[in-house]
Amino acid sequence: MTEDRYYKFSSEDNVATITLSNTKNHNAFDDKLIADLTAIFNQINNDSDIKVVVLKAEGRIFSAGADLKWMKRMAGYDRDENLVDAKALAELLRLMNHLKKPLIGVVQGAAYGGGVGLAAVCDIVIASPKASFCLSEVRLGLVPAVISPYVVAAIGARAARRYFLTAENFDAKTAFDLGLVHELVEAEELQTKERELVELLLKNSPKAIAAAKQLITIVDRPIDDELIAKTANIICDIRASDEGREGLNAFLQKTKPNWLKPSGQQDNNKLEANSHKGEK
């Protein structure tokens, strides 16, 4: 087993397990973790000994989405830097979504923003009734662009119209009803259910599983290069917009964003947000 402050990785009996373990930071991710996970999933894809992959997390939170320090850096990025950043996450999600091996997601707690995206790219998701989900981006003046193809594929456009726009929390039962979660399992039984699914998958032909996953992509709406590039550009543009910068700065400074302030205060706040343009 290899380990650092972000995650743990183990491979045993044809099963690879990736465990988010940065509990002090609520298993949030940044550019380093994205790069590390991309390398790991590429390694897994090319390892014929690995037949099944499990993604899980330690602690109370499955993933809080973007790391706070990373968000502070993003607040000062220009468009080109934002695009590189967005494409890195887009590539990780594409790699996970099109992984040749079955990917099981085990969600034991809350998933926010990009954490919902991690669940959406898994082939099978089991969750504790204590789990919850939130697509919170619009509260920060952003949109869940890069994760959107996978989340919409999981819950449908109709549900996305609500949860993308309200940024409200929804519980595990709602996630199950929407199709994001396949099965609800009591917290103490998650490991047992995980093992049951692993054993079922190990009985099946690895090449047939890979072909079946590809088949689903072919017969359903494909998430192609054009769409992935478009979503990366969408988040890049909105991060660099006045409201995107205002929302991030307000979140980081623990103040109300401009759109929640009385009209007399908005002009000054907008001037302050504009003053950050071009900073790196």
Side-chain angles (χ1 to χ4, degrees), residues 131-168:
S132 63
F133 301 85
C134 182
L135 295 152
S136 55
E137 284 83 354
V138 293
R139 289 183 189 165
L140 312 181
L142 305 177
V143 292
V146 175
I147 66 172
S148 63
Y150 312 102
V151 177
V152 172
I155 70 174
R158 189 62 178 168
R161 286 190 176 200
R162 173 175 177 171
Y163 294 108
F164 278 21
L165 306 186
T166 63
E168 66 189 293

PDB file of all heavy atoms in Angstrom, residues 131-168:
ATOM      1  N   ALA A 131     -25.229   9.546   3.790  1.00  0.00           N
ATOM      2  CA  ALA A 131     -24.635  10.321   2.697  1.00  0.00           C
ATOM      3  C   ALA A 131     -25.586  11.429   2.249  1.00  0.00           C
ATOM      4  O   ALA A 131     -26.804  11.324   2.400  1.00  0.00           O
ATOM      5  CB  ALA A 131     -24.309   9.407   1.521  1.00  0.00           C
ATOM      6  N   SER A 132     -25.012  12.480   1.713  1.00  0.00           N
ATOM      7  CA  SER A 132     -25.807  13.564   1.127  1.00  0.00           C
ATOM      8  C   SER A 132     -25.040  14.146  -0.040  1.00  0.00           C
ATOM      9  O   SER A 132     -23.832  13.910  -0.189  1.00  0.00           O
ATOM     10  CB  SER A 132     -26.121  14.645   2.168  1.00  0.00           C
ATOM     11  OG  SER A 132     -24.928  15.252   2.629  1.00  0.00           O
ATOM     12  N   PHE A 133     -25.729  14.925  -0.869  1.00  0.00           N
ATOM     13  CA  PHE A 133     -25.130  15.426  -2.093  1.00  0.00           C
ATOM     14  C   PHE A 133     -25.534  16.881  -2.297  1.00  0.00           C
ATOM     15  O   PHE A 133     -26.632  17.290  -1.924  1.00  0.00           O
ATOM     16  CB  PHE A 133     -25.594  14.573  -3.281  1.00  0.00           C
ATOM     17  CG  PHE A 133     -25.241  13.121  -3.134  1.00  0.00           C
ATOM     18  CD1 PHE A 133     -26.068  12.258  -2.415  1.00  0.00           C
ATOM     19  CD2 PHE A 133     -24.078  12.618  -3.696  1.00  0.00           C
ATOM     20  CE1 PHE A 133     -25.742  10.921  -2.258  1.00  0.00           C
ATOM     21  CE2 PHE A 133     -23.749  11.272  -3.544  1.00  0.00           C
ATOM     22  CZ  PHE A 133     -24.574  10.425  -2.825  1.00  0.00           C
ATOM     23  N   CYS A 134     -24.634  17.648  -2.896  1.00  0.00           N
ATOM     24  CA  CYS A 134     -24.924  19.064  -3.134  1.00  0.00           C
ATOM     25  C   CYS A 134     -24.095  19.574  -4.303  1.00  0.00           C
ATOM     26  O   CYS A 134     -22.868  19.455  -4.296  1.00  0.00           O
ATOM     27  CB  CYS A 134     -24.625  19.894  -1.883  1.00  0.00           C
ATOM     28  SG  CYS A 134     -25.014  21.645  -2.071  1.00  0.00           S
ATOM     29  N   LEU A 135     -24.765  20.115  -5.294  1.00  0.00           N
ATOM     30  CA  LEU A 135     -24.112  20.781  -6.421  1.00  0.00           C
ATOM     31  C   LEU A 135     -24.145  22.274  -6.123  1.00  0.00           C
ATOM     32  O   LEU A 135     -25.041  22.997  -6.541  1.00  0.00           O
ATOM     33  CB  LEU A 135     -24.843  20.422  -7.717  1.00  0.00           C
ATOM     34  CG  LEU A 135     -24.727  18.925  -8.055  1.00  0.00           C
ATOM     35  CD1 LEU A 135     -25.929  18.455  -8.858  1.00  0.00           C
ATOM     36  CD2 LEU A 135     -23.433  18.654  -8.796  1.00  0.00           C
ATOM     37  N   SER A 136     -23.154  22.718  -5.382  1.00  0.00           N
ATOM     38  CA  SER A 136     -23.194  24.029  -4.726  1.00  0.00           C
ATOM     39  C   SER A 136     -22.571  25.161  -5.541  1.00  0.00           C
ATOM     40  O   SER A 136     -22.481  26.296  -5.062  1.00  0.00           O
ATOM     41  CB  SER A 136     -22.461  23.934  -3.382  1.00  0.00           C
ATOM     42  OG  SER A 136     -21.133  23.444  -3.568  1.00  0.00           O
ATOM     43  N   GLU A 137     -22.153  24.901  -6.774  1.00  0.00           N
ATOM     44  CA  GLU A 137     -21.333  25.863  -7.512  1.00  0.00           C
ATOM     45  C   GLU A 137     -21.975  27.236  -7.689  1.00  0.00           C
ATOM     46  O   GLU A 137     -21.297  28.267  -7.605  1.00  0.00           O
ATOM     47  CB  GLU A 137     -20.965  25.282  -8.884  1.00  0.00           C
ATOM     48  CG  GLU A 137     -19.878  24.212  -8.848  1.00  0.00           C
ATOM     49  CD  GLU A 137     -20.412  22.824  -8.507  1.00  0.00           C
ATOM     50  OE1 GLU A 137     -21.618  22.701  -8.185  1.00  0.00           O
ATOM     51  OE2 GLU A 137     -19.629  21.866  -8.548  1.00  0.00           O
ATOM     52  N   VAL A 138     -23.297  27.291  -7.970  1.00  0.00           N
ATOM     53  CA  VAL A 138     -23.905  28.596  -8.259  1.00  0.00           C
ATOM     54  C   VAL A 138     -23.892  29.515  -7.040  1.00  0.00           C
ATOM     55  O   VAL A 138     -24.008  30.739  -7.190  1.00  0.00           O
ATOM     56  CB  VAL A 138     -25.345  28.453  -8.806  1.00  0.00           C
ATOM     57  CG1 VAL A 138     -25.325  27.807 -10.177  1.00  0.00           C
ATOM     58  CG2 VAL A 138     -26.242  27.685  -7.856  1.00  0.00           C
ATOM     59  N   ARG A 139     -23.756  28.962  -5.845  1.00  0.00           N
ATOM     60  CA  ARG A 139     -23.624  29.822  -4.662  1.00  0.00           C
ATOM     61  C   ARG A 139     -22.342  30.640  -4.715  1.00  0.00           C
ATOM     62  O   ARG A 139     -22.235  31.685  -4.063  1.00  0.00           O
ATOM     63  CB  ARG A 139     -23.617  28.965  -3.393  1.00  0.00           C
ATOM     64  CG  ARG A 139     -24.948  28.345  -3.050  1.00  0.00           C
ATOM     65  CD  ARG A 139     -24.860  27.584  -1.759  1.00  0.00           C
ATOM     66  NE  ARG A 139     -26.063  26.806  -1.517  1.00  0.00           N
ATOM     67  CZ  ARG A 139     -26.149  25.837  -0.625  1.00  0.00           C
ATOM     68  NH1 ARG A 139     -25.091  25.531   0.116  1.00  0.00           N
ATOM     69  NH2 ARG A 139     -27.275  25.180  -0.455  1.00  0.00           N
ATOM     70  N   LEU A 140     -21.357  30.129  -5.451  1.00  0.00           N
ATOM     71  CA  LEU A 140     -20.065  30.810  -5.557  1.00  0.00           C
ATOM     72  C   LEU A 140     -19.947  31.602  -6.845  1.00  0.00           C
ATOM     73  O   LEU A 140     -18.871  32.091  -7.183  1.00  0.00           O
ATOM     74  CB  LEU A 140     -18.924  29.780  -5.486  1.00  0.00           C
ATOM     75  CG  LEU A 140     -18.990  28.759  -4.361  1.00  0.00           C
ATOM     76  CD1 LEU A 140     -17.789  27.832  -4.424  1.00  0.00           C
ATOM     77  CD2 LEU A 140     -19.045  29.457  -3.013  1.00  0.00           C
ATOM     78  N   GLY A 141     -21.050  31.685  -7.593  1.00  0.00           N
ATOM     79  CA  GLY A 141     -20.997  32.378  -8.872  1.00  0.00           C
ATOM     80  C   GLY A 141     -20.391  31.528  -9.971  1.00  0.00           C
ATOM     81  O   GLY A 141     -19.962  32.051 -11.000  1.00  0.00           O
ATOM     82  N   LEU A 142     -20.359  30.213  -9.777  1.00  0.00           N
ATOM     83  CA  LEU A 142     -19.784  29.290 -10.751  1.00  0.00           C
ATOM     84  C   LEU A 142     -20.861  28.342 -11.267  1.00  0.00           C
ATOM     85  O   LEU A 142     -22.030  28.472 -10.924  1.00  0.00           O
ATOM     86  CB  LEU A 142     -18.634  28.504 -10.098  1.00  0.00           C
ATOM     87  CG  LEU A 142     -17.520  29.334  -9.459  1.00  0.00           C
ATOM     88  CD1 LEU A 142     -16.507  28.421  -8.787  1.00  0.00           C
ATOM     89  CD2 LEU A 142     -16.839  30.221 -10.499  1.00  0.00           C
ATOM     90  N   VAL A 143     -20.465  27.381 -12.098  1.00  0.00           N
ATOM     91  CA  VAL A 143     -21.373  26.338 -12.569  1.00  0.00           C
ATOM     92  C   VAL A 143     -20.647  24.997 -12.523  1.00  0.00           C
ATOM     93  O   VAL A 143     -19.418  24.952 -12.643  1.00  0.00           O
ATOM     94  CB  VAL A 143     -21.878  26.606 -14.010  1.00  0.00           C
ATOM     95  CG1 VAL A 143     -22.780  27.822 -14.040  1.00  0.00           C
ATOM     96  CG2 VAL A 143     -20.713  26.777 -14.983  1.00  0.00           C
ATOM     97  N   PRO A 144     -21.393  23.896 -12.368  1.00  0.00           N
ATOM     98  CA  PRO A 144     -20.757  22.568 -12.324  1.00  0.00           C
ATOM     99  C   PRO A 144     -20.447  22.059 -13.724  1.00  0.00           C
ATOM    100  O   PRO A 144     -20.918  20.995 -14.144  1.00  0.00           O
ATOM    101  CB  PRO A 144     -21.806  21.706 -11.616  1.00  0.00           C
ATOM    102  CG  PRO A 144     -23.105  22.335 -11.981  1.00  0.00           C
ATOM    103  CD  PRO A 144     -22.833  23.818 -12.061  1.00  0.00           C
ATOM    104  N   ALA A 145     -19.653  22.806 -14.471  1.00  0.00           N
ATOM    105  CA  ALA A 145     -19.503  22.573 -15.908  1.00  0.00           C
ATOM    106  C   ALA A 145     -18.804  21.255 -16.229  1.00  0.00           C
ATOM    107  O   ALA A 145     -19.333  20.426 -16.976  1.00  0.00           O
ATOM    108  CB  ALA A 145     -18.741  23.738 -16.543  1.00  0.00           C
ATOM    109  N   VAL A 146     -17.612  21.049 -15.687  1.00  0.00           N
ATOM    110  CA  VAL A 146     -16.810  19.887 -16.078  1.00  0.00           C
ATOM    111  C   VAL A 146     -17.471  18.578 -15.645  1.00  0.00           C
ATOM    112  O   VAL A 146     -17.384  17.569 -16.345  1.00  0.00           O
ATOM    113  CB  VAL A 146     -15.384  20.011 -15.506  1.00  0.00           C
ATOM    114  CG1 VAL A 146     -14.566  18.761 -15.779  1.00  0.00           C
ATOM    115  CG2 VAL A 146     -14.680  21.237 -16.106  1.00  0.00           C
ATOM    116  N   ILE A 147     -18.151  18.593 -14.513  1.00  0.00           N
ATOM    117  CA  ILE A 147     -18.811  17.375 -14.048  1.00  0.00           C
ATOM    118  C   ILE A 147     -20.194  17.195 -14.673  1.00  0.00           C
ATOM    119  O   ILE A 147     -20.797  16.123 -14.560  1.00  0.00           O
ATOM    120  CB  ILE A 147     -18.936  17.349 -12.506  1.00  0.00           C
ATOM    121  CG1 ILE A 147     -19.881  18.448 -12.008  1.00  0.00           C
ATOM    122  CG2 ILE A 147     -17.576  17.438 -11.846  1.00  0.00           C
ATOM    123  CD1 ILE A 147     -20.202  18.357 -10.513  1.00  0.00           C
ATOM    124  N   SER A 148     -20.705  18.224 -15.341  1.00  0.00           N
ATOM    125  CA  SER A 148     -22.103  18.209 -15.783  1.00  0.00           C
ATOM    126  C   SER A 148     -22.460  17.066 -16.730  1.00  0.00           C
ATOM    127  O   SER A 148     -23.557  16.494 -16.591  1.00  0.00           O
ATOM    128  CB  SER A 148     -22.474  19.561 -16.414  1.00  0.00           C
ATOM    129  OG  SER A 148     -21.702  19.822 -17.570  1.00  0.00           O
ATOM    130  N   PRO A 149     -21.615  16.679 -17.701  1.00  0.00           N
ATOM    131  CA  PRO A 149     -22.032  15.580 -18.577  1.00  0.00           C
ATOM    132  C   PRO A 149     -22.311  14.288 -17.813  1.00  0.00           C
ATOM    133  O   PRO A 149     -23.241  13.543 -18.151  1.00  0.00           O
ATOM    134  CB  PRO A 149     -20.840  15.409 -19.527  1.00  0.00           C
ATOM    135  CG  PRO A 149     -20.129  16.715 -19.501  1.00  0.00           C
ATOM    136  CD  PRO A 149     -20.299  17.216 -18.103  1.00  0.00           C
ATOM    137  N   TYR A 150     -21.517  14.056 -16.785  1.00  0.00           N
ATOM    138  CA  TYR A 150     -21.634  12.808 -16.026  1.00  0.00           C
ATOM    139  C   TYR A 150     -22.792  12.873 -15.028  1.00  0.00           C
ATOM    140  O   TYR A 150     -23.505  11.885 -14.828  1.00  0.00           O
ATOM    141  CB  TYR A 150     -20.310  12.524 -15.316  1.00  0.00           C
ATOM    142  CG  TYR A 150     -19.128  12.661 -16.244  1.00  0.00           C
ATOM    143  CD1 TYR A 150     -18.323  13.802 -16.213  1.00  0.00           C
ATOM    144  CD2 TYR A 150     -18.846  11.672 -17.186  1.00  0.00           C
ATOM    145  CE1 TYR A 150     -17.257  13.944 -17.097  1.00  0.00           C
ATOM    146  CE2 TYR A 150     -17.786  11.806 -18.063  1.00  0.00           C
ATOM    147  CZ  TYR A 150     -16.987  12.955 -18.019  1.00  0.00           C
ATOM    148  OH  TYR A 150     -15.945  13.097 -18.900  1.00  0.00           O
ATOM    149  N   VAL A 151     -22.978  14.030 -14.406  1.00  0.00           N
ATOM    150  CA  VAL A 151     -24.078  14.181 -13.455  1.00  0.00           C
ATOM    151  C   VAL A 151     -25.419  14.137 -14.173  1.00  0.00           C
ATOM    152  O   VAL A 151     -26.366  13.478 -13.733  1.00  0.00           O
ATOM    153  CB  VAL A 151     -23.930  15.483 -12.633  1.00  0.00           C
ATOM    154  CG1 VAL A 151     -25.124  15.668 -11.707  1.00  0.00           C
ATOM    155  CG2 VAL A 151     -22.636  15.468 -11.823  1.00  0.00           C
ATOM    156  N   VAL A 152     -25.516  14.831 -15.320  1.00  0.00           N
ATOM    157  CA  VAL A 152     -26.763  14.812 -16.080  1.00  0.00           C
ATOM    158  C   VAL A 152     -27.043  13.405 -16.597  1.00  0.00           C
ATOM    159  O   VAL A 152     -28.196  12.948 -16.612  1.00  0.00           O
ATOM    160  CB  VAL A 152     -26.713  15.827 -17.242  1.00  0.00           C
ATOM    161  CG1 VAL A 152     -27.917  15.671 -18.163  1.00  0.00           C
ATOM    162  CG2 VAL A 152     -26.665  17.253 -16.685  1.00  0.00           C
ATOM    163  N   ALA A 153     -25.993  12.676 -17.007  1.00  0.00           N
ATOM    164  CA  ALA A 153     -26.179  11.287 -17.442  1.00  0.00           C
ATOM    165  C   ALA A 153     -26.699  10.420 -16.304  1.00  0.00           C
ATOM    166  O   ALA A 153     -27.450   9.469 -16.520  1.00  0.00           O
ATOM    167  CB  ALA A 153     -24.862  10.723 -17.977  1.00  0.00           C
ATOM    168  N   ALA A 154     -26.316  10.763 -15.070  1.00  0.00           N
ATOM    169  CA  ALA A 154     -26.714   9.967 -13.906  1.00  0.00           C
ATOM    170  C   ALA A 154     -28.118  10.311 -13.411  1.00  0.00           C
ATOM    171  O   ALA A 154     -28.906   9.415 -13.102  1.00  0.00           O
ATOM    172  CB  ALA A 154     -25.708  10.155 -12.773  1.00  0.00           C
ATOM    173  N   ILE A 155     -28.455  11.599 -13.335  1.00  0.00           N
ATOM    174  CA  ILE A 155     -29.730  11.983 -12.712  1.00  0.00           C
ATOM    175  C   ILE A 155     -30.752  12.512 -13.707  1.00  0.00           C
ATOM    176  O   ILE A 155     -31.921  12.706 -13.351  1.00  0.00           O
ATOM    177  CB  ILE A 155     -29.516  13.025 -11.595  1.00  0.00           C
ATOM    178  CG1 ILE A 155     -29.087  14.387 -12.156  1.00  0.00           C
ATOM    179  CG2 ILE A 155     -28.506  12.522 -10.570  1.00  0.00           C
ATOM    180  CD1 ILE A 155     -28.993  15.494 -11.113  1.00  0.00           C
ATOM    181  N   GLY A 156     -30.335  12.773 -14.948  1.00  0.00           N
ATOM    182  CA  GLY A 156     -31.253  13.285 -15.958  1.00  0.00           C
ATOM    183  C   GLY A 156     -31.316  14.805 -15.976  1.00  0.00           C
ATOM    184  O   GLY A 156     -31.054  15.472 -14.964  1.00  0.00           O
ATOM    185  N   ALA A 157     -31.675  15.336 -17.119  1.00  0.00           N
ATOM    186  CA  ALA A 157     -31.723  16.788 -17.288  1.00  0.00           C
ATOM    187  C   ALA A 157     -32.777  17.434 -16.402  1.00  0.00           C
ATOM    188  O   ALA A 157     -32.590  18.547 -15.902  1.00  0.00           O
ATOM    189  CB  ALA A 157     -31.985  17.135 -18.756  1.00  0.00           C
ATOM    190  N   ARG A 158     -33.890  16.743 -16.190  1.00  0.00           N
ATOM    191  CA  ARG A 158     -34.977  17.342 -15.417  1.00  0.00           C
ATOM    192  C   ARG A 158     -34.543  17.591 -13.976  1.00  0.00           C
ATOM    193  O   ARG A 158     -34.775  18.675 -13.425  1.00  0.00           O
ATOM    194  CB  ARG A 158     -36.215  16.434 -15.465  1.00  0.00           C
ATOM    195  CG  ARG A 158     -37.460  17.070 -14.866  1.00  0.00           C
ATOM    196  CD  ARG A 158     -37.865  18.303 -15.638  1.00  0.00           C
ATOM    197  NE  ARG A 158     -39.082  18.903 -15.116  1.00  0.00           N
ATOM    198  CZ  ARG A 158     -39.507  20.102 -15.464  1.00  0.00           C
ATOM    199  NH1 ARG A 158     -38.825  20.823 -16.329  1.00  0.00           N
ATOM    200  NH2 ARG A 158     -40.626  20.580 -14.959  1.00  0.00           N
ATOM    201  N   ALA A 159     -33.922  16.584 -13.346  1.00  0.00           N
ATOM    202  CA  ALA A 159     -33.449  16.755 -11.971  1.00  0.00           C
ATOM    203  C   ALA A 159     -32.307  17.770 -11.919  1.00  0.00           C
ATOM    204  O   ALA A 159     -32.206  18.562 -10.967  1.00  0.00           O
ATOM    205  CB  ALA A 159     -32.996  15.421 -11.390  1.00  0.00           C
ATOM    206  N   ALA A 160     -31.465  17.772 -12.938  1.00  0.00           N
ATOM    207  CA  ALA A 160     -30.360  18.728 -12.974  1.00  0.00           C
ATOM    208  C   ALA A 160     -30.874  20.163 -13.003  1.00  0.00           C
ATOM    209  O   ALA A 160     -30.257  21.062 -12.421  1.00  0.00           O
ATOM    210  CB  ALA A 160     -29.481  18.463 -14.193  1.00  0.00           C
ATOM    211  N   ARG A 161     -32.021  20.377 -13.666  1.00  0.00           N
ATOM    212  CA  ARG A 161     -32.592  21.731 -13.695  1.00  0.00           C
ATOM    213  C   ARG A 161     -32.862  22.236 -12.281  1.00  0.00           C
ATOM    214  O   ARG A 161     -32.732  23.428 -12.011  1.00  0.00           O
ATOM    215  CB  ARG A 161     -33.899  21.738 -14.500  1.00  0.00           C
ATOM    216  CG  ARG A 161     -33.713  21.642 -15.977  1.00  0.00           C
ATOM    217  CD  ARG A 161     -35.009  21.904 -16.706  1.00  0.00           C
ATOM    218  NE  ARG A 161     -34.804  21.911 -18.149  1.00  0.00           N
ATOM    219  CZ  ARG A 161     -35.627  22.465 -19.011  1.00  0.00           C
ATOM    220  NH1 ARG A 161     -36.712  23.087 -18.574  1.00  0.00           N
ATOM    221  NH2 ARG A 161     -35.377  22.414 -20.300  1.00  0.00           N
ATOM    222  N   ARG A 162     -33.245  21.351 -11.403  1.00  0.00           N
ATOM    223  CA  ARG A 162     -33.486  21.767 -10.021  1.00  0.00           C
ATOM    224  C   ARG A 162     -32.174  21.918  -9.253  1.00  0.00           C
ATOM    225  O   ARG A 162     -31.886  22.986  -8.708  1.00  0.00           O
ATOM    226  CB  ARG A 162     -34.388  20.753  -9.315  1.00  0.00           C
ATOM    227  CG  ARG A 162     -34.535  21.036  -7.835  1.00  0.00           C
ATOM    228  CD  ARG A 162     -35.512  20.127  -7.151  1.00  0.00           C
ATOM    229  NE  ARG A 162     -35.570  20.395  -5.710  1.00  0.00           N
ATOM    230  CZ  ARG A 162     -36.465  19.867  -4.891  1.00  0.00           C
ATOM    231  NH1 ARG A 162     -37.381  19.026  -5.367  1.00  0.00           N
ATOM    232  NH2 ARG A 162     -36.458  20.151  -3.607  1.00  0.00           N
ATOM    233  N   TYR A 163     -31.380  20.862  -9.202  1.00  0.00           N
ATOM    234  CA  TYR A 163     -30.250  20.848  -8.270  1.00  0.00           C
ATOM    235  C   TYR A 163     -29.059  21.667  -8.732  1.00  0.00           C
ATOM    236  O   TYR A 163     -28.285  22.149  -7.911  1.00  0.00           O
ATOM    237  CB  TYR A 163     -29.859  19.396  -7.973  1.00  0.00           C
ATOM    238  CG  TYR A 163     -30.958  18.679  -7.227  1.00  0.00           C
ATOM    239  CD1 TYR A 163     -31.737  17.700  -7.840  1.00  0.00           C
ATOM    240  CD2 TYR A 163     -31.267  19.025  -5.912  1.00  0.00           C
ATOM    241  CE1 TYR A 163     -32.769  17.070  -7.168  1.00  0.00           C
ATOM    242  CE2 TYR A 163     -32.296  18.399  -5.230  1.00  0.00           C
ATOM    243  CZ  TYR A 163     -33.045  17.428  -5.857  1.00  0.00           C
ATOM    244  OH  TYR A 163     -34.074  16.817  -5.184  1.00  0.00           O
ATOM    245  N   PHE A 164     -28.903  21.866 -10.043  1.00  0.00           N
ATOM    246  CA  PHE A 164     -27.872  22.788 -10.521  1.00  0.00           C
ATOM    247  C   PHE A 164     -28.210  24.227 -10.128  1.00  0.00           C
ATOM    248  O   PHE A 164     -27.317  25.035  -9.870  1.00  0.00           O
ATOM    249  CB  PHE A 164     -27.753  22.728 -12.051  1.00  0.00           C
ATOM    250  CG  PHE A 164     -26.920  21.597 -12.585  1.00  0.00           C
ATOM    251  CD1 PHE A 164     -26.662  20.458 -11.827  1.00  0.00           C
ATOM    252  CD2 PHE A 164     -26.405  21.657 -13.872  1.00  0.00           C
ATOM    253  CE1 PHE A 164     -25.914  19.410 -12.341  1.00  0.00           C
ATOM    254  CE2 PHE A 164     -25.645  20.615 -14.394  1.00  0.00           C
ATOM    255  CZ  PHE A 164     -25.404  19.490 -13.629  1.00  0.00           C
ATOM    256  N   LEU A 165     -29.511  24.548 -10.106  1.00  0.00           N
ATOM    257  CA  LEU A 165     -29.934  25.934  -9.903  1.00  0.00           C
ATOM    258  C   LEU A 165     -30.155  26.291  -8.434  1.00  0.00           C
ATOM    259  O   LEU A 165     -29.913  27.430  -8.039  1.00  0.00           O
ATOM    260  CB  LEU A 165     -31.223  26.211 -10.696  1.00  0.00           C
ATOM    261  CG  LEU A 165     -31.180  25.894 -12.196  1.00  0.00           C
ATOM    262  CD1 LEU A 165     -32.466  26.356 -12.860  1.00  0.00           C
ATOM    263  CD2 LEU A 165     -29.971  26.517 -12.866  1.00  0.00           C
ATOM    264  N   THR A 166     -30.631  25.343  -7.632  1.00  0.00           N
ATOM    265  CA  THR A 166     -30.915  25.655  -6.225  1.00  0.00           C
ATOM    266  C   THR A 166     -29.707  25.500  -5.322  1.00  0.00           C
ATOM    267  O   THR A 166     -29.642  26.110  -4.258  1.00  0.00           O
ATOM    268  CB  THR A 166     -32.028  24.743  -5.675  1.00  0.00           C
ATOM    269  OG1 THR A 166     -31.579  23.375  -5.717  1.00  0.00           O
ATOM    270  CG2 THR A 166     -33.313  24.903  -6.472  1.00  0.00           C
ATOM    271  N   ALA A 167     -28.749  24.657  -5.724  1.00  0.00           N
ATOM    272  CA  ALA A 167     -27.575  24.342  -4.891  1.00  0.00           C
ATOM    273  C   ALA A 167     -27.985  23.790  -3.528  1.00  0.00           C
ATOM    274  O   ALA A 167     -27.268  23.929  -2.547  1.00  0.00           O
ATOM    275  CB  ALA A 167     -26.678  25.573  -4.718  1.00  0.00           C
ATOM    276  N   GLU A 168     -29.149  23.157  -3.479  1.00  0.00           N
ATOM    277  CA  GLU A 168     -29.624  22.593  -2.213  1.00  0.00           C
ATOM    278  C   GLU A 168     -29.034  21.209  -1.978  1.00  0.00           C
ATOM    279  O   GLU A 168     -28.627  20.514  -2.916  1.00  0.00           O
ATOM    280  CB  GLU A 168     -31.151  22.494  -2.233  1.00  0.00           C
ATOM    281  CG  GLU A 168     -31.682  21.512  -3.260  1.00  0.00           C
ATOM    282  CD  GLU A 168     -33.195  21.569  -3.419  1.00  0.00           C
ATOM    283  OE1 GLU A 168     -33.888  21.201  -2.451  1.00  0.00           O
ATOM    284  OE2 GLU A 168     -33.661  21.983  -4.503  1.00  0.00           O
TER     285      GLU A 168
END
